[in-house]
Amino acid sequence: MKIIIIGPAHPYRGGIALFSNRLADALAVDNNAVNIVTFKMQYPGFLFPGKTQFSDNESSSKIKTLRAINSVNPFNWIKVGMQIRAAKPDLVIFKYWMPFMAPCFGTIAKYIKKDSSIKIISLVHNLVPHEKRFGDTILTKYFVKRVDGFIAMSQSVIADINRFNTTKPTALSPHPLYDNFGKIKTRKEALEALGLDTQFNYMLFFGIVRKYKGLDILLKAFADKRLNDGSLKLIVAGEFYDDDAEYLDLIHKHDLTDAVILTKGFIPDDKVVDYFCAADIVVQPYRTATQSGVTQIAYHFNKPMLVTDVGGLKEIVPNGKVGYVVEPNQNAVTEALIDFYQNNKAASFIKGVEEEKKKYSWDKMVKTVNDLYKEL
């Protein structure tokens, strides 16, 4: 097939951009002609809470990428839609993750669909945003109306899609592994790369820091003296999109200054391996979620996980096999982490991770795309 993927991609940074490039590579293996159309302007600077929208790393993907979309210019949307229609692809895949993009993507799709032979699938990371705003529902409906079918990566997203769509086909395919961060390192190699002492144990909170991700829950849990006993440290590896004052106050209040390592910056792709391979367990104390790319990085690096019982996280982290699924509160997080360290659960969980990760191949995602296209 001739396939065009629309969404974030390199040189933009972040999990969804990485996913676009990795999906394109996977689809190209089947001799499909795959191109990516991404943004020339993704977010206006004043709307973006981070330091930069761009990656410092070179892309390993060989897929041709065109930077063409301006997310806030309606005339651009029409032009891009007409250009893609003129290219006569068999399939267009929109990567959808937030209502802000609905007017842009919906309009591009509208002009593509003036040729009804072109099929449009949306691969949905989130349909309902973690942090809700006025107008989300109207914007989401506008986008959903323009799409022929949907792929979700968790049952919670399937449920969200069903709120907006009752007639168009929807498929479920779990989030594949993020296997593009390099080979596994030894714990010693990773700790040396980070300049960390090998005498301590380390747990990892990874990714952008926002309220819904529950870092405050983890800090309060870590304050328990059974955990904060001088032998364990917490690495917080990610850029703060929230004001960091609340978290710094908690660190000071609970005497965690020497026990918490803050990067306070976006982690480049080539450094991700060091943070995951240095950690004993990856902790995701989220208040809300759909699925998570962080779990798929943890799977790639054979790391046990603690997640909360929200969204689709428990679908991909079997409780007691690869880690823990707990309620999103500090007591539940504390008790799970104490169990992990006091009862030496790492080895059995790693064995479970190595078995469970076999479910999350890119071949399965490609098959889902092909099957849904045939259905359309």
Side-chain angles (χ1 to χ4, degrees):
M1 290 188 290
K2 186 175 183 179
I3 302 172
I4 294 176
I5 297 171
I6 298 177
H10 193 272
Y12 289 93
R13 70 180 201 183
I16 296 176
L18 282 168
F19 191 111
S20 298
N21 287 106
R22 186 63 183 84
L23 175 63
D25 290 337
L27 289 166
V29 169
D30 280 352
N31 293 318
N32 296 308
V34 184
N35 290 307
I36 299 172
V37 177
T38 191
F39 299 94
K40 61 181 179 182
M41 203 278 290
Q42 182 173 222
Y43 302 111
F46 71 92
L47 291 179
F48 184 72
K51 293 179 181 178
T52 178
Q53 299 178 45
F54 298 99
S55 171
D56 293 329
N57 295 96
E58 294 293 323
S59 175
S60 60
S61 175
K62 304 301 182 185
I63 302 298
K64 182 180 177 182
T65 300
L66 174 66
R67 292 186 63 194
I69 302 170
N70 182 320
S71 66
V72 295
N73 184 339
F75 297 105
N76 169 269
W77 311 340
I78 296 169
K79 177 182 177 182
V80 170
M82 293 172 65
Q83 288 174 335
I84 293 173
R85 185 179 77 231
K88 295 190 176 299
D90 300 295
L91 174 63
V92 175
I93 301 173
F94 279 90
K95 303 293 299 306
Y96 188 84
W97 74 103
M98 65 186 306
F100 175 80
M101 293 297 172
C104 170
F105 285 178
T107 302
I108 292 172
K110 175 183 176 180
Y111 279 85
I112 293 172
K113 285 302 291 182
K114 290 184 182 293
D115 181 345
S116 60
S117 69
I118 302 172
K119 303 305 178 187
I120 296 179
I121 291 173
S122 177
L123 203 162
V124 182
H125 290 259
N126 305 298
L127 197 67
V128 176
H130 301 298
E131 297 163 316
K132 297 176 177 59
R133 294 175 176 84
F134 177 78
D136 286 345
T137 298
I138 294 171
L139 294 174
T140 302
K141 285 180 177 178
Y142 178 77
F143 174 72
V144 167
K145 181 181 178 182
R146 312 295 179 186
V147 176
D148 297 315
F150 303 88
I151 296 174
M153 293 182 283
S154 68
Q155 288 290 351
S156 66
V157 174
I158 291 280
D160 289 339
I161 292 170
N162 290 340
R163 288 169 49 190
F164 293 89
N165 162 67
T166 57
T167 58
K168 298 174 183 178
T170 302
L172 174 66
S173 186
H175 194 309
L177 295 181
Y178 276 128
D179 55 5
N180 38 354
F181 290 110
K183 295 180 179 179
I184 295 172
K185 290 185 176 183
T186 66
R187 178 178 186 271
K188 183 174 182 291
E189 288 171 335
L191 290 171
E192 287 178 354
L194 296 174
L196 298 177
D197 196 325
T198 57
Q199 70 174 314
F200 297 104
N201 291 107
Y202 297 90
M203 51 187 177
L204 175 65
F205 177 100
F206 187 87
I208 291 165
V209 180
R210 303 203 81 145
K211 184 68 175 177
Y212 77 86
K213 291 195 174 182
L215 176 58
D216 57 316
I217 295 173
L218 177 54
L219 291 172
K220 292 172 185 176
F222 190 25
D224 190 298
K225 293 302 179 185
R226 293 172 293 173
L227 290 173
N228 185 25
D229 61 358
S231 66
L232 177 63
K233 292 182 183 286
L234 167 64
I235 303 171
V236 179
E239 189 171 3
F240 282 77
Y241 278 17
D242 288 339
D243 186 348
D244 63 7
E246 174 188 357
Y247 306 101
L248 297 176
D249 288 346
L250 283 171
I251 290 169
H252 178 74
K253 175 182 176 181
H254 294 295
D255 194 25
L256 294 169
T257 303
D258 293 333
V260 177
I261 300 161
L262 297 173
T263 67
K264 296 180 105 177
F266 188 84
I267 307 302
D269 295 350
D270 58 348
K271 301 298 182 186
V272 170
V273 57
D274 296 321
Y275 287 94
F276 278 82
C277 292
D280 311 308
I281 187 169
V282 178
V283 186
Q284 297 175 259
Y286 297 175
R287 289 182 167 87
T288 63
T290 46
Q291 64 283 319
S292 170
V294 174
T295 59
Q296 301 304 341
I297 305 175
Y299 268 123
H300 173 62
F301 289 116
N302 294 335
K303 289 299 166 181
M305 291 162 269
L306 184 155
V307 303
T308 45
D309 188 6
V310 296
L313 296 182
K314 66 181 177 184
E315 297 173 36
I316 50 178
V317 180
N319 186 42
K321 181 178 182 180
V322 306
Y324 302 92
V325 180
V326 303
E327 292 301 312
N329 63 68
Q330 69 182 77
N331 291 335
V333 172
T334 298
E335 294 304 322
L337 290 172
I338 290 170
D339 179 70
F340 177 76
Y341 283 105
Q342 288 188 354
N343 294 311
N344 300 312
K345 291 293 187 71
S348 65
F349 285 161
I350 290 170
K351 184 178 179 181
V353 167
E354 289 173 337
E355 180 183 338
E356 191 71 15
K357 70 191 283 185
K358 297 173 185 175
K359 296 179 179 179
Y360 304 114
S361 72
W362 285 95
D363 289 344
K364 290 185 178 180
M365 178 60 75
V366 169
K367 184 177 185 303
T368 302
V369 171
N370 288 332
D371 290 347
L372 183 56
Y373 175 77
K374 290 173 185 175
E375 185 177 351
L376 297 175

